[in-house]
Amino acid sequence: MKIKKAIIPAAGYGTRSLPITKVLPKEMFPINGKPAIHYVVEEAVASGIEEILIVVSRNKNMILDYFDRSLELEAFLAETNKQHLLKKLSVPKAHIQFVRQPFARGLGDAIQMGRPFINDEPFAVLLPDDIFVEKKRSLKQLINVYEQQSSSVIGVKQVKKELLHNYGVIKGRTISSGLNQIVDIVEKPKSSPPSDLAVVGRYVLHPDIFTFLEQTKPGIGGEIQLTDALKAMLQVRKCYGYEVSGERFDIGSHKEYFKLLKKLYCDEG
Ligand code: G1P
């Protein structure tokens, strides 16, 4: 079945980036004049996604405004013969819907909000903190694996041992170069991570995940963790970890956000 739907959870408080995230959602952090979430939607569309659900919270209306038409501004630019600026207003072509997550109960809960939208199809999840700079789109790489294996697949990357406690970490059995069948997955391991392969914010999931999310109790940080639901699903369904190519930047980290800006500036300059 073709993967044509994606969920982008964008409801978090962005606590790592306070105080700016009091007023500016981190998904709206500018990257070369476009907000971060623009790049994530663009990656989804370039990977074949047609319908996107963005899960937001109360202070994220700016994201809805960004993906909406701006009729007044469009009319102004047309009237003042600034047609060349009109194309700057365009956003990636997808059918985008929004839903609000009323309580900050975690990533798993945010994904669960998308159950009626997904309606029992395999689907993609893109975490908008993670920006990939790669022509061969990370999500597309995962969709290709899903199509070959007919099983859920998660994007992973090797991460330094001392940073693994920030991530979901898989234990895998190597199937082929870059492809591991997941035998265990742990969210933010405090000690003894099962490997150095960390989950990097791109997933293609079987819709059964919703049944497992429903049964998932709050985990680390008191939140419903997608990782815990994935771990439970491993008992009945295969799931793979695929080492996606391309440089990944976590824009929730000041250092990586700055590195991303510098890279794009240098690449374009
Ligand atoms: C989330 C996931 C984690 C994953 C990470 C990637 O954590 O829960 O498994 O490794 O995204 O960015 P968060 O960064 O939201 O705490």
Side-chain angles (χ1 to χ4, degrees), residues 16 26 107 127 129-130 166-169 185-188 198-203 223 225-227 248 250:
R16 284 185 298 159
K26 70 178 165 206
L107 176 60
L127 305 189
D129 290 9
D130 292 309
N166 295 315
Y167 295 90
V169 182
I185 182 165
V186 186
E187 180 66 12
K188 303 193 173 70
V199 175
V200 287
R202 297 292 182 272
Y203 309 75
E223 296 186 339
Q225 297 291 349
L226 175 59
T227 301
R248 169 226 175 222
D250 170 9

Side-chain angles (χ1 to χ4, degrees), residues 57-72:
S57 51
R58 211 164 292 113
N59 62 342
K60 305 265 181 151
N61 292 348
M62 214 183 255
I63 302 177
L64 279 72
D65 290 341
Y66 182 77
F67 287 103
D68 198 358
R69 297 274 303 270
S70 179
L71 296 177
E72 229 178 275

Side-chain angles (χ1 to χ4, degrees), residues 228-243:
D228 294 343
L230 285 165
K231 187 184 175 96
M233 194 165 75
L234 286 179
Q235 306 301 320
V236 295
R237 287 206 168 270
K238 278 188 190 159
C239 182
Y240 293 89
Y242 183 70
E243 290 180 58

